[in-house]
Amino acid sequence: MANIQLFKSLKRRLLPVADTMNYCGASAYALSKEHRLAQYAATGCLNHTFYASAQAQLATVLELSQEIAPRFIAQTALYARRRSYMKDMPALLLAVLAARGAEELVPAFEGTVDNGKMLRNFVQILRSGVTGRKSLGSRPKKLVQAWLNQATEEQLLHACVGQSPSLADVVKMVHPKPAEPWRAAFFAWLIGRPYDHAALPPLTRALCAYQRDRAQPIPQVPFQLLTAMQPSTEEWTQMARDGGWHMVRMNLNSFARHGVFEVPGMTELIAARLCDASAIAKARVFPYQLMAAWKACDETVPVAVREALQKAMEIALANVPTLEGTVVICPDVSGSMSNPISGVRAGVSSAVRCIDVAALLAAAILRKNGQSRVLPFDHRMVSCPLDPSDTVMVNAARLARIGGGGTDCSAPLRWLNEHGQRADLVILVSDNESWLRNHTSGATETLRQWQQFKQRNRKARLVCVDLAPHASSQAPESDDILNIGGFSDDVFRLLASFAAGQMQPQHWVDEIASMPL
């Protein structure tokens, strides 16, 4: 007789067998091609991550793009730019569409290239040859020309900030034919050709006047066009008054260094600007940008300004949903989460790490859902008491101070099972590279623990938020499991929709496929 223990009848539903391995060589579930592309687009910055190099990310995206319909590639580019606020990946996907000669390039370009930085990214990537061509080609060239001929003077001046290529390089490449005299004069001024000074638009004319005579009023142009002239305290103060919301956020230490906060009333003015709700909404503030500014502030920045950043965070996260039922948030605090959220690149790596973003998401949900429970984990459960009445920034900082250990995504589920806990929604926030308690066959340990949890909580749902560009998951998509990638505030909207039962299988891919072209 066969071994009864080995072949006994299963009392629970069959679990899907893990069908791939993750970067650590542990069992995992392969995401669909479309899901993989979306994951890379929403989290990949084409920089070195803890587990994958920039070259490997690029190769993966290019390989996937050859197997996926142009329409979905275009929709992914739109999603990555509009919902995830990414820059490099949407431009790369546009370049892929251009290389394939896809008609979807036109609506995708028009919906994705919303500023000069995106325009220059697109041109840079396409001209690099990585997508299979080095020339712009007629259709991309016409799209770039149209952008240059439709942009406002303010947009063009902002596009002047940056090199490789510069806006002047782009103009020389595509030779736009301007219909307005002011635009013709601007392009000639930009590329160093003779121009009619009287025909220049007002801001550019004011910039030229200021460059000739510093006694002239400071023009309200991007501050990067002025800092090379070594502005005085008075000039820095005027730039702080006139600067946009993001300009102020990014230059707090510079303001302190140049004496701006010593000018009467400037501390109060800047603090009020930073926590102005309408300005925050208009600036499309990325929550982790506020965390980056708060972390970067040195002691010379007044306390009132640093507190304003905390208030701004509360305002920026006002759309965090109130989730029905009992919610458990499980931020991964393992060693790999110490990697910068946008990857490593010499000189430009973000000070914000994956663990900071995981902590931010957990603290934000706790703040809006006071009865929630936060269970940090690495290879085991980690104790970190939090107070829902504290600010998001304070609680996030407490969580982010943990760090270390291996990764076991099943750890919080196992703890819930061992303690007989109940919950309606469990949220794992991780880089998803679980490698401990690995099984050589069958389902992953995460899925096994989730099935056990479901025996007590039949209506419960699991959301796995992946913060890094990966191709696999520890729990495959199903009616009660959602895998999403990204670290923008759109994650909160998706959480609410899924928790309310408003998303179907292949939830996230369907969300992207619904983007109108």
Side-chain angles (χ1 to χ4, degrees):
M1 178 180 292
N3 188 323
I4 294 178
Q5 295 301 315
L6 186 62
F7 296 104
K8 63 182 178 181
S9 298
L10 295 176
K11 295 181 180 179
R12 293 177 286 184
R13 65 185 176 96
L14 288 172
L15 296 178
V17 175
D19 55 5
T20 190
M21 291 190 297
N22 59 23
Y23 284 118
C24 295
S27 299
Y29 297 95
L31 302 172
S32 70
K33 294 190 295 289
E34 289 79 9
H35 197 131
R36 272 181 277 164
L37 182 67
Q39 178 67 37
Y40 275 77
T43 62
C45 298
L46 296 176
N47 293 326
H48 181 79
T49 68
F50 192 89
Y51 292 105
S53 67
Q55 292 78 11
Q57 293 179 53
L58 175 61
T60 300
V61 171
L62 293 177
E63 181 182 350
L64 287 170
S65 298
Q66 297 306 310
E67 304 173 3
I68 294 174
R71 181 177 180 82
F72 187 80
I73 295 174
Q75 290 169 318
T76 303
L78 285 170
Y79 181 89
R81 180 60 185 155
R82 291 180 179 178
R83 302 279 184 82
S84 296
Y85 310 150
M86 305 298 278
K87 297 186 290 291
D88 294 347
M89 278 295 184
L92 173 60
L93 295 179
L94 291 181
V96 167
L97 292 171
R100 291 178 62 170
E103 294 181 357
E104 289 83 358
L105 171 64
V106 175
F109 181 96
E110 293 172 349
T112 302
V113 179
D114 51 9
N115 60 36
K117 170 65 173 173
M118 287 300 301
L119 183 81
R120 292 189 296 104
N121 279 356
F122 170 68
V123 172
Q124 177 192 2
I125 293 173
L126 192 55
R127 292 272 294 173
S128 72
V130 298
T131 60
R133 63 187 293 176
K134 297 194 71 171
S135 63
L136 286 180
S138 58
R139 180 179 286 161
K141 183 177 179 180
K142 288 179 180 178
L143 288 170
V144 175
Q145 289 173 334
W147 192 94
L148 292 169
N149 282 323
Q150 293 168 9
T152 64
E153 180 196 12
E154 186 177 358
Q155 288 175 315
L156 290 170
L157 284 171
H158 277 280
C160 289
V161 178
Q163 300 293 322
S164 303
S166 66
L167 185 64
D169 294 331
V170 175
V171 169
K172 291 175 184 177
M173 286 180 205
V174 302
H175 307 291
K177 295 178 174 58
E180 306 98 331
W182 75 263
R183 204 178 295 271
F186 181 92
F187 290 150
W189 165 80
L190 181 68
I191 64 177
R193 290 185 178 177
Y195 61 91
D196 180 2
H197 181 79
L200 283 175
L203 289 176
T204 309
R205 194 163 57 248
L207 175 61
C208 292
Y210 181 71
Q211 289 171 331
R212 289 193 304 268
D213 180 8
R214 297 281 286 273
Q216 295 292 318
I218 300 174
Q220 295 187 27
V221 298
F223 78 97
Q224 295 95 331
L225 301 178
L226 304 173
T227 52
M229 294 183 277
Q230 298 183 336
S232 64
T233 295
E234 181 181 356
E235 290 167 322
W236 269 105
T237 300
Q238 190 59 48
M239 285 191 285
R241 291 181 185 276
D242 298 336
W245 193 92
H246 281 296
M247 180 272 182
V248 172
R249 170 187 67 84
M250 295 170 65
N251 286 278
L252 297 176
N253 288 339
S254 294
F255 294 158
R257 205 162 45 245
H258 292 92
V260 172
F261 294 118
E262 298 173 17
V263 177
M266 285 306 297
T267 294
E268 293 77 13
L269 186 148
I270 290 174
R273 173 89 63 82
L274 287 172
C275 56
D276 179 81
S278 60
I280 290 171
K282 183 179 179 181
R284 288 201 308 179
V285 178
F286 209 166
Y288 96 83
Q289 292 172 325
L290 285 164
M291 175 174 277
W294 187 66
K295 286 168 64 73
C297 281
D298 58 37
E299 294 181 356
T300 60
V301 177
V303 173
V305 173
R306 282 179 275 165
E307 288 180 346
L309 288 172
Q310 296 201 51
K311 294 176 184 176
M313 177 68 83
E314 301 289 327
I315 295 169
L317 293 171
N319 63 339
V320 175
T322 299
L323 302 168
E324 297 295 329
T326 304
V327 181
V328 177
I329 314 110
C330 311
D332 180 354
V333 296
S334 63
S336 61
M337 294 287 283
S338 62
N339 201 69
I341 188 66
S342 56
V344 177
R345 186 167 59 181
V348 294
S349 296
S350 170
V352 179
R353 306 161 298 163
C354 290
I355 192 173
D356 295 317
V357 175
L360 173 61
L361 290 172
I365 295 171
L366 177 65
R367 177 75 164 164
K368 201 65 176 284
N369 302 270
Q371 300 305 310
S372 301
R373 185 164 201 164
V374 178
L375 299 178
F377 72 94
D378 48 23
H379 59 276
R380 68 202 189 295
M381 300 309 301
V382 181
S383 176
C384 183
L386 302 177
D387 185 346
S389 63
D390 282 337
T391 66
V392 169
M393 212 81 88
V394 167
N395 276 331
R398 287 187 185 127
L399 283 168
R401 281 195 293 267
I402 304 173
T407 307
D408 180 6
C409 289
S410 68
L413 294 171
R414 182 179 305 101
W415 187 92
L416 291 170
N417 287 331
E418 289 173 350
H419 291 79
Q421 298 292 302
R422 293 187 174 274
D424 300 291
L425 180 66
V426 179
I427 305 168
L428 291 177
V429 188
S430 173
D431 62 5
N432 206 33
E433 283 299 305
S434 186
W435 56 273
L436 288 164
R437 294 183 183 270
N438 181 48
H439 296 280
T440 57
S441 62
T444 62
E445 182 64 14
T446 300
L447 191 60
R448 294 173 194 234
Q449 293 295 331
W450 176 246
Q451 183 199 41
Q452 185 178 336
F453 184 79
K454 287 281 288 186
Q455 300 304 307
R456 300 189 316 279
N457 304 269
R458 295 193 177 277
K459 294 184 179 180
R461 292 171 180 261
L462 172 67
V463 179
C464 304
V465 181
D466 196 340
L467 301 179
H470 292 144
S472 65
S473 169
Q474 286 298 296
E477 204 91 328
S478 66
D479 288 343
D480 59 345
I481 299 175
L482 169 66
N483 285 291
I484 55 176
F487 37 87
S488 75
D489 53 3
D490 193 56
V491 170
F492 297 121
R493 182 183 62 82
L494 295 171
L495 277 173
S497 295
F498 185 67
Q502 297 169 355
M503 297 177 72
Q504 302 304 314
Q506 295 190 41
H507 322 279
W508 194 39
V509 170
D510 288 345
E511 175 81 10
I512 294 169
S514 68
M515 295 289 291
L517 283 180

